[in-house]
C-alpha cells in the first residue's frame, strides 16, 4: 500500500503512490482530475523502500520528495513546473519554513537536507547528511532560524543554523536517532523514539533530559494538550506528560495487535491507531 499521507486542498485530494505516481482527485466524487509520473518514466532513481514523502501544497504548487532535491507540479493542471536531478530521494515529506526572513521549503533527501525556493526549485542552502542506505525519513523540524534533523542506523541528530544562505552545525550527537517517525517539539524540547527508547532532549543543546528504555520498537508519537500520545510497535498506547524534567506516565493500555509503525491520529478527542495488517482502532481520550 501507499506510504504517503494524502494532502487536501480546495476540495481536491493529492496522493503519491510508492512507485512515484501523483494523482489529483475530486474529494467529493473520487473522480480523477489529473495524474503524473514523478519518476518521468523511470528516469529518477527510486528509493530502496519506495517513495514515502507526503505531498505538500504550497500556493499554486504541489511539491513532492522525488529526485535529487524535489519536484513541483502545478496543483490545478498537474503539469511539471520544475524538477531536480535524478538522484535518490529521501523518505521525508517537504516542510515549509521561514528563516532569516526568507520563506522556503526543505527537502530531506538521500544525500542530505536542502532548503529551496519553491517557485523555481533553486537552492537557498544545503547540508550533507549521509546515512546508511540513504534513509533520511523523519521530517525536519524548524526552530526559528534553525532546523533539527535526525536519522536512524546509528546516525544521530543535528541542529543546523540556516540563516544567511548557509547551513551550519550548531550541535551534532547520537542522543536521538529517529528511524522514520519524527520527533515532536514542545516548548524548546524534543520528544521522540531513539531506536526503541522514548527520549526527551534539549533542542538548543542536544543534551538528553530523560529516557524510557525498550518496548517501543519503531512506534511513533504525537503531542496534544501538553501530553505525548505514543503507539508502540506492538500496539500498546501510552499517554505521558510532555515534561522535560522527568518521565510522567498518565495511562497505558494494549489497544491492538500486529505491527504498528504508523503514528496515531487525533481528532475531536478520539485517537485512531492502525496496524500494518490493516486493523483500525478508535478510542476516546476525553
Amino acid at each position: 500500500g501507499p506510504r504517503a499521507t494524502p494532502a487536501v486542498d480546495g476540495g481536491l485530494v493529492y496522493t503519491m503512490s510508492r512507485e512515484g505516481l501523483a494523482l489529483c482527485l475530486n474529494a467529493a466524487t473520487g473522480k480523477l482530475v489529473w495524474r503524473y509520473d514523478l519518476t518521468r518514466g523511470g528516469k529518477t532513481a527510486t528509493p530502496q523502500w519506495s517513495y514515502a514523502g507526503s505531498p505538500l501544497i504550497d500556493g499554486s504548487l504541489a511539491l513532492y520528495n522525488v529526485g535529487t532535491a524535489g519536484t513541483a507540479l502545478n496543483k490545478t493542471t498537474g503539469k511539471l513546473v520544475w524538477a531536480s536531478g535524478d538522484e535518490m530521494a529521501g523518505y521525508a515529506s517537504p516542510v515549509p519554513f521561514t528563516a532569516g526572513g526568507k520563506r522556503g521549503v526543505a527537502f530531506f533527501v538521500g544525500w542530505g537536507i536542502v532548503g529551496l525556493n519553491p517557485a523555481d526549485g533553486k537552492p537557498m542552502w544545503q547540508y550533507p547528511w549521509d546515512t546508511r542506505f540513504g534513509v533520511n525519513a523523519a521530517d525536519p523540524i524548524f526552530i526559528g532560524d534553525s532546523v533539527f534533523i535526525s536519522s536512524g542506523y546509528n546516525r544521530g541528530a543535528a541542529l543546523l543554523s540556516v540563516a544567511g544562505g548557509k547551513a551550519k552545525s550548531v550541535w551534532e550527537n547520537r542522543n536521538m536517532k529517529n528511524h522514520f517517525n519524527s520527533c515532536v517539539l514542545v516548548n524548546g524540547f524534543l520528544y521522540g523514539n531513539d531506536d526503541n527508547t522514548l527520549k526527551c532532549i534539549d533542542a538548543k543543546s542536544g543534551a538528553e533530559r530523560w529516557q524510557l528504555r525498550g518496548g517501543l520498537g519503531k512506534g511513533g508519537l504525537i503531542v496534544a494538550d501538553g501530553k505525548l500520545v505514543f503507539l508502540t510497535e506492538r500496539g500498546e498506547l501510552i499517554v505521558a506528560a510532555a515534561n522535560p524534567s522527568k518521565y510522567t506516565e498518565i495511562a497505558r493500555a494494549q489497544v491492538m495487535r500486529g505491527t504498528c509503525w504508523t503514528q496515531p491520529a487525533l481528532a475531536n478527542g478520539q485517537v485512531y491507531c492502525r496496524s500494518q495488517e490493516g486493523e483500525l482502532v478508535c478510542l476516546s481520550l476525553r
Side-chain angles (χ1 to χ4, degrees), residues 19-247:
E19 291 84 14
L21 180 64
L23 299 180
C24 175
L25 308 166
N26 183 293
T29 66
K31 183 180 179 180
L32 180 68
V33 178
W34 54 256
R35 62 187 290 160
Y36 186 87
D37 179 5
L38 292 162
T39 71
R40 292 173 287 147
K43 294 179 181 179
T44 302
T46 300
Q48 184 171 346
W49 288 279
S50 306
Y51 292 100
S54 301
L56 171 68
I57 305 303
D58 187 83
S60 63
L61 301 176
L63 300 167
Y64 304 84
N65 191 347
V66 175
T68 306
T71 302
L73 306 180
N74 182 291
K75 73 174 185 180
T76 303
T77 65
K79 292 184 177 180
L80 180 68
V81 177
W82 57 260
S84 55
D86 297 331
E87 294 177 39
M88 192 178 75
Y91 301 90
S93 300
V95 177
F97 69 88
T98 300
K102 295 183 179 181
R103 190 180 179 282
V105 174
F107 288 81
F108 201 17
V109 294
W111 56 267
I113 184 170
V114 56
L116 49 77
N117 183 336
D120 55 18
K122 292 183 178 179
M124 301 165 63
W125 49 263
Q126 59 188 33
Y127 192 86
W129 187 259
D130 293 327
T131 306
R132 191 179 176 194
F133 306 118
V135 179
N136 291 324
D139 294 347
I141 297 174
F142 281 85
I143 310 168
D145 289 344
S146 299
V147 59
F148 169 81
I149 56 174
S150 180
S151 302
Y153 297 103
N154 205 36
R155 181 62 173 94
L159 184 71
L160 310 174
S161 170
V162 296
K166 291 185 178 180
K168 300 178 181 179
S169 176
V170 178
W171 59 259
E172 181 178 333
N173 61 38
R174 289 190 172 91
N175 285 343
M176 184 66 74
K177 301 176 289 295
N178 296 149
H179 195 140
F180 45 74
N181 276 316
S182 308
C183 285
V184 294
L185 175 69
V186 185
N187 298 325
F189 295 91
L190 291 154
Y191 302 84
N193 186 350
D194 171 45
D195 268 349
N196 195 33
T197 298
L198 181 61
K199 276 188 182 180
C200 171
I201 66 171
D202 188 325
K204 185 179 293 186
S205 66
E208 181 183 318
R209 297 298 297 265
W210 55 254
Q211 63 174 257
L212 175 69
R213 293 184 62 83
L216 306 180
K218 299 188 187 301
L221 78 162
I222 58 174
V223 63
D225 192 30
K227 300 175 182 67
L228 307 174
V229 183
F230 198 105
L231 182 65
T232 74
E233 183 175 292
R234 296 306 174 197
E236 195 171 27
L237 190 69
I238 301 171
V239 180
N243 180 0
S245 299
K246 62 178 180 178
Y247 174 74

Side-chain angles (χ1 to χ4, degrees), residues 232-236 254 256-261 274-277 279:
T232 74
E233 183 175 292
R234 296 306 174 197
E236 195 171 27
Q254 187 75 45
M256 62 196 315
R257 301 293 177 183
T259 301
C260 304
W261 284 4
R274 181 176 73 85
S275 73
Q276 184 170 287
E277 290 76 16
E279 182 181 6

